Amino acid sequence: MKITSDHFGVTSSGEEVQLFCLTNNQGMEVRITNYGGIITAINVPDRDGNLGDVVLGHETLEGYLNRSRYFGALIGRYANRIAHGRFCLNGITYSLAKNNGENHLHGGFKGFDKVVWSVREIPAADTACLQLTYLSKDGEEGYPGNLETIVTYLLTNGNELRIDYQATTDRDTIVNLTNHSYFNLAGSGTVLDHQVTINAETYTPVDKGLIPTGEIRSVRDTPLDFTSPTAIGARIRDYYEQLRLACGYDHNFVLRTGTQAFRNAATVYEPTTGRVLEVSTTQPGMQFYSGNFLDGSIVGKGDRVYVKHSGCCFETQHFPDSPNHPNFPSTVVKPNQEYRHTTSFKFSVA
Ligand code: GLA
């Protein structure tokens, strides 16, 4: 187990940014920068033991500053969309930044993905552990309350990357944190042949602005049924309204059991390399996004052109636009409470 660090660059406002490399006893490597808490690389073995990078991103800080689609980043204060950038809490209407048409997306114009986090290594016996903290001031991007956020990245010798999220506030507010890594277990090409299983019987259908309608709909007999392993590309071009609205998969799946128990949310298998990714979480939902907005205009690591479906995301989260849907699990956090969630990405081969 070891952690090394290097200078990664300087932001436009002159803040120093570092790049950390966490390595476990198996040789698995995770690179994380304190700019946006971004995971820039995850190197894991394939079935022949060859290490390969399984996430999209950039080699340089400049790439993340200028050409990113939330690659690998921490998302806050609210992951995904809030309709009209508006919500009501304790009788007060709050207006958030509208950075996605008329809606609010991923925390606003300068979300947690674009801030520099304080960072320290936490000594631990059999994990490599990095802790990032950020104080989001009352009113930032329109949100109430000073929000103190702590995100801990832990790499184990079992090739598991665990992310612990904690937040506390001094005023009632809403919180929904996630990580926006784009995975491609083959390390090249598209993810259309990746076989995905999602532990969800229902999902939250969306309107044309990708805002949930409020309905909780069964996945049965639809292209959103991933209850048994299915290639992402098998039905992605089916004539189905929800797929057309999102130009592919970009939907929140309601994970089985409404409790906060830590459990499996999704399993991904890539047939050519044998790589397997298991996603587990305490969160009630997961946005499965098939990289539909990648359009070849971004060139990433190793000069790879990121075309549509070059990567896919498993954004464990509370449901999009929850503050405007009383039937969705609440995202309200109060001063005497602590927001706490855990998500893990575990790699193996089959
Ligand atoms: C999430 C959203 C998508 C898109 C991506 C970023 O997955 O649900 O609609 O905004 O982030 O491009």
Side-chain angles (χ1 to χ4, degrees):
M1 282 290 169
K2 67 167 197 242
I3 303 184
T4 56
S5 71
D6 249 318
H7 174 74
F8 196 39
V10 180
T11 65
S12 49
S13 54
E15 287 169 288
E16 277 282 322
V17 173
Q18 283 166 287
L19 182 66
F20 295 83
C21 182
L22 285 59
T23 312
N24 73 7
N25 296 348
Q26 316 290 318
M28 173 176 167
E29 230 179 57
V30 180
R31 290 174 192 265
I32 296 165
T33 168
N34 60 324
Y35 175 74
I38 294 171
I39 299 172
T40 66
I42 300 182
N43 283 295
V44 287
D46 64 8
R47 63 161 76 87
D48 300 319
N50 302 312
L51 284 184
D53 189 356
V54 295
V55 289
L56 308 194
H58 292 291
E59 259 130 35
T60 62
L61 176 65
E62 187 268 331
Y64 289 103
L65 296 175
N66 302 317
R67 299 178 301 280
S68 192
R69 293 277 189 279
Y70 304 99
F71 294 140
L74 293 177
I75 308 293
R77 292 188 188 191
Y78 198 99
N80 215 286
R81 294 176 177 77
I82 296 179
H84 308 289
R86 203 163 54 215
F87 71 97
C88 187
L89 184 60
N90 304 330
I92 303 166
T93 299
Y94 293 95
S95 291
L96 304 172
K98 290 183 188 172
N99 60 321
N100 189 241
E102 55 173 14
N103 302 319
H104 178 83
L105 175 68
H106 294 331
F109 289 106
K110 191 174 180 186
F112 288 6
D113 60 299
K114 295 182 188 69
V115 302
V116 176
W117 295 65
S118 303
V119 62
R120 65 185 183 119
E121 295 172 31
I122 307 277
D126 351 276
T127 54
C129 183
L130 204 62
Q131 191 169 76
L132 285 75
T133 54
Y134 176 66
L135 171 67
S136 173
K137 297 264 178 63
D138 185 26
E140 193 175 279
E141 300 290 319
Y143 291 99
N146 288 295
L147 190 78
E148 182 79 56
T149 305
I150 306 176
V151 175
T152 311
Y153 284 110
L154 296 106
L155 175 65
T156 74
N157 282 323
N159 287 0
E160 178 175 16
L161 175 65
R162 206 176 90 197
I163 314 176
D164 291 340
Y165 301 89
Q166 278 164 268
T168 48
T169 180
D170 58 3
R171 271 176 71 191
D172 288 8
T173 192
I174 56 166
V175 181
N176 189 23
L177 306 175
T178 196
N179 176 278
H180 207 300
S181 288
Y182 288 70
F183 296 94
N184 182 318
L185 299 183
S188 62
T190 73
V191 293
L192 295 175
D193 291 333
H194 285 43
Q195 289 172 22
V196 170
T197 314
I198 301 177
N199 223 328
E201 305 273 1
T202 54
Y203 73 106
T204 51
V206 291
D207 66 14
K208 62 179 189 330
L210 302 186
I211 299 290
T213 59
E215 182 190 347
I216 309 274
R217 190 185 289 175
S218 170
V219 298
R220 289 288 165 204
D221 304 318
T222 79
L224 283 94
D225 188 348
F226 283 94
T227 52
S228 58
T230 310
I232 294 177
R235 302 161 303 185
I236 199 166
R237 295 191 187 94
D238 282 10
Y239 191 81
Y240 186 69
E241 189 213 14
Q242 285 296 315
L243 291 178
R244 277 194 303 132
L245 287 170
C247 303
Y249 296 102
D250 194 353
H251 295 86
N252 170 63
F253 285 75
V254 179
L255 300 174
R256 278 198 190 110
T257 80
T259 68
Q260 271 216 6
F262 182 72
R263 68 232 184 264
N264 175 270
T267 304
V268 192
Y269 169 66
E270 200 289 303
T272 62
T273 60
R275 289 195 183 101
V276 175
L277 163 63
E278 285 165 86
V279 183
S280 302
T281 190
T282 54
Q283 292 275 13
M286 185 185 73
Q287 189 83 6
F288 170 45
Y289 172 55
S290 54
N292 315 326
F293 296 128
L294 299 174
D295 58 4
S297 61
I298 295 180
V299 179
K301 289 179 275 187
D303 288 334
R304 247 183 89 199
V305 177
Y306 292 144
V307 298
K308 193 170 181 174
H309 311 313
S310 290
C312 56
C313 305
F314 302 92
E315 302 156 63
T316 55
Q317 59 178 10
H318 268 257
F319 307 173
D321 200 30
S322 296
N324 295 309
H325 295 280
N327 60 323
F328 290 176
S330 170
T331 52
V332 174
V333 178
K334 295 175 188 287
N336 55 353
Q337 298 171 338
E338 188 184 34
Y339 170 96
R340 230 177 216 283
H341 276 289
T342 293
T343 291
S344 108
F345 298 112
K346 188 175 190 310
F347 297 88
S348 58
V349 289

